[in-house]
Amino acid sequence: MAATPRGAGDRSRSAQRPAPQAERRADARRNIKSILDAAQLCLARDADASVADMAKAAGVGRVTLYGHFKTRADLVDAVLTRTMEQSDAALDATDTTGDPREALTRLVGASWRIVHQLHSVLRAAHRELPPERIRAVHDRTLQRVQTIIDRGRDAGAFRDDLPQRWMVTTVFSLMHAAAEDTAAGRLDADDAARVISATLLAALTAPGTAVPAPAP
Amino acid sequence: MAATPRGAGDRSRSAQRPAPQAERRADARRNIKSILDAAQLCLARDADASVADMAKAAGVGRVTLYGHFKTRADLVDAVLTRTMEQSDAALDATDTTGDPREALTRLVGASWRIVHQLHSVLRAAHRELPPERIRAVHDRTLQRVQTIIDRGRDAGAFRDDLPQRWMVTTVFSLMHAAAEDTAAGRLDADDAARVISATLLAALTAPGTAVPAPAP
DNA sequence: CAGAACTCGAACACGTTTGTTCAGGTTGAC
DNA sequence: GTCAACCTGAACAAACGTGTTCGAGTTCTG
């Protein structure tokens, strides 16, 4: 324990000190953020990146990393949290009112870039973190989609014959599928948002004349 | 060279079996196909299963496994190949003629059980085998879907404003998403085929009145 | 200057997995 | 019975990942 760097929070002592130490702590925190950014980038490139890889990407020693994050899971969790915060920030800026179909289109457009760049991070987290944690972090984003869908349903614009959860799953599934197709060169990244929206709108809006009824 | 067992099995003389010491011995005499079945089951339960796990599941020594398959990748590849063969066999039995929408529905119904049970195997393979290999093994199944979609397009039943490849991706993506939702208890397995079909038909059929047209 | 705070590389202990080698056991063919 | 094919567990080497410890360096502060 003697060799363990004290970590980011030693606030007990600096309560009264005016500027100098506070600056250092600010530095440390900024440092951590930039480390997280690097780790995020690293995980985005390779979901199997080791702690050593992330440390190198951050230009930092592996030991230093373990000083800030007790375990690899902690680090991944922090990266995930940061990722979702950024995502939420971007999504908060999009208007989700008005016509549900247009709202969904806008939301997809805003989400696409994020998913496109970070779905690898999510995959890494999905494999290494407990499911309830994943669920918790996704909650806000999930809720956002669900709200639009519910609203569209009430307005009669979205179909009523499928489970809500499945409709939400559909949205996320197609986004990630598009991300993988893009990474594999099978889909143009610039066209993806349009394609996803067009597919989703058709899939989720109220059944039209084109759908054959399997009933008698 | 000494470590490599010569033959694939002793199927020619297995007619008489007087009094085997234990069942494990009998298990040990099973042929490669049944080993692959066990490995398949093992991978279906846990995509991260080690060679030791698969050997144990097959009731066979790890060394014996390495006698049949030079590396772990070879084993996974063999399991994948067998999986796709079974899948193809099941899919060959389904009628893909007639109305493209109904054909797609039938194909989804037939595929669902397979994907439902084996998508974990596919994930394992996806992570450990080179992408072109995955692509090659999937080719027949891919082609099957593509054929229906192309036919539906020509008939004017399926929409024309999305890349074919994306439409194929949509089919597979939703199937796997449903498999995961089912595993997580968010979707009823018995209802899945209906839900998938209903979603896909809406997503892929020609735009109806419910879809807001972006152009005149 | 002294010391706290933070950092660093090197190296260690530990676990897991892959793939190989070895010495021996069972089985059916001849 | 003998022999070869086939199987087996035990044990090994090598690689890789995680987490910890050590000794030493830097930098800012008092």
Side-chain angles (χ1 to χ4, degrees):
Chain A
M1 51 187 92
T4 304
R6 304 307 181 278
D10 53 317
R11 16 185 163 14
S12 57
R13 188 195 191 92
S14 59
Q16 294 181 342
R17 293 291 175 270
Q21 294 205 354
E23 253 181 34
R24 285 207 61 155
R25 283 194 294 117
D27 263 10
R29 244 182 246 141
R30 180 159 33 103
N31 223 358
I32 290 185
K33 281 192 180 180
S34 70
I35 287 178
L36 283 181
D37 282 338
Q40 186 189 50
L41 193 68
C42 193
L43 280 181
R45 278 202 311 257
D46 176 16
D48 290 327
S50 69
V51 175
D53 292 332
M54 290 186 266
K56 202 161 89 177
V60 124
R62 201 165 58 97
V63 183
T64 306
L65 222 52
Y66 274 109
H68 290 303
F69 308 97
K70 232 176 132 53
T71 97
R72 176 204 168 83
D74 279 5
L75 174 56
V76 173
D77 192 296
V79 171
L80 176 65
T81 300
R82 187 159 169 70
T83 299
M84 294 312 288
E85 278 172 5
Q86 294 173 347
S87 170
D88 274 337
L91 261 43
D92 275 335
T94 74
D95 175 26
T96 56
T97 64
D99 183 280
R101 290 167 297 196
E102 292 175 4
L104 183 62
T105 302
R106 280 193 297 269
L107 192 66
V108 168
S111 302
W112 164 243
R113 287 184 188 176
I114 302 169
V115 174
H116 174 36
Q117 292 180 336
L118 300 172
H119 83 120
S120 174
V121 174
L122 298 185
R123 271 205 353 213
H126 191 67
R127 207 170 52 215
E128 304 186 43
L129 265 33
E132 63 269 17
R133 181 75 185 119
I134 304 287
R135 201 76 186 164
V137 183
H138 267 77
D139 195 60
R140 283 197 61 190
T141 310
L142 229 54
Q143 210 63 37
R144 226 184 288 258
V145 174
Q146 183 119 18
T147 300
I148 294 183
I149 289 180
D150 286 345
R151 209 155 51 76
R153 270 185 153 185
D154 291 342
F158 286 172
R159 60 198 299 181
D160 210 6
D161 60 336
L162 295 178
Q164 305 101 318
R165 282 194 293 192
W166 167 251
M167 291 171 84
V168 176
T169 292
T170 302
V171 174
F172 282 82
S173 167
L174 287 188
M175 297 253 269
H176 283 279
E180 269 178 37
D181 262 28
T182 299
R186 290 191 296 269
L187 181 65
D188 181 14
D190 295 330
D191 198 29
R194 179 193 72 85
V195 165
I196 298 172
S197 294
T199 308
L200 277 178
L201 281 182
L204 302 185
T205 48
T209 56
V211 180
Chain B
M1 55 183 98
T4 304
R6 316 294 184 287
D10 45 308
R11 34 197 167 347
S12 57
R13 40 165 165 276
S14 61
Q16 182 149 10
R17 202 179 304 137
Q21 282 267 94
E23 262 191 12
R24 293 181 62 181
R25 291 300 179 218
D27 280 352
R29 298 297 175 217
R30 292 188 304 180
N31 56 19
I32 291 188
K33 281 191 179 180
S34 65
I35 288 180
L36 283 181
D37 282 339
Q40 185 189 51
L41 192 69
C42 191
L43 280 181
R45 276 202 312 259
D46 176 16
D48 290 328
S50 68
V51 175
D53 293 331
M54 290 186 269
K56 202 162 86 177
V60 126
R62 203 165 57 95
V63 183
T64 306
L65 223 51
Y66 275 110
H68 290 305
F69 307 97
K70 231 175 131 52
T71 98
R72 176 204 168 83
D74 278 4
L75 173 56
V76 173
D77 192 295
V79 171
L80 176 66
T81 300
R82 185 158 171 73
T83 299
M84 295 312 289
E85 278 172 5
Q86 293 173 348
S87 170
D88 274 337
L91 262 44
D92 276 336
T94 76
D95 175 26
T96 56
T97 63
D99 182 280
R101 290 167 297 195
E102 292 175 6
L104 183 63
T105 301
R106 281 193 297 270
L107 192 65
V108 168
S111 301
W112 164 243
R113 287 184 188 177
I114 302 169
V115 173
H116 175 35
Q117 292 180 335
L118 271 42
H119 84 117
S120 174
V121 174
L122 299 184
R123 271 202 357 213
H126 191 67
R127 207 170 53 218
E128 304 185 43
L129 265 32
E132 62 269 18
R133 180 75 185 119
I134 304 287
R135 201 75 187 163
V137 182
H138 268 76
D139 195 60
R140 281 198 63 189
T141 310
L142 230 54
Q143 210 63 37
R144 227 183 287 259
V145 175
Q146 183 118 17
T147 300
I148 293 183
I149 290 181
D150 286 346
R151 208 155 51 77
R153 271 185 152 185
D154 291 342
F158 286 172
R159 59 198 298 181
D160 210 5
D161 60 336
L162 295 178
Q164 305 102 317
R165 279 193 294 192
W166 167 252
M167 293 171 82
V168 176
T169 292
T170 301
V171 175
F172 283 83
S173 167
L174 287 189
M175 298 256 269
H176 283 280
E180 271 179 36
D181 263 26
T182 298
R186 290 191 296 269
L187 182 64
D188 181 14
D190 295 330
D191 198 29
R194 181 193 71 87
V195 166
I196 299 171
S197 294
T199 309
L200 277 177
L201 282 182
L204 302 184
T205 48
T209 56
V211 181

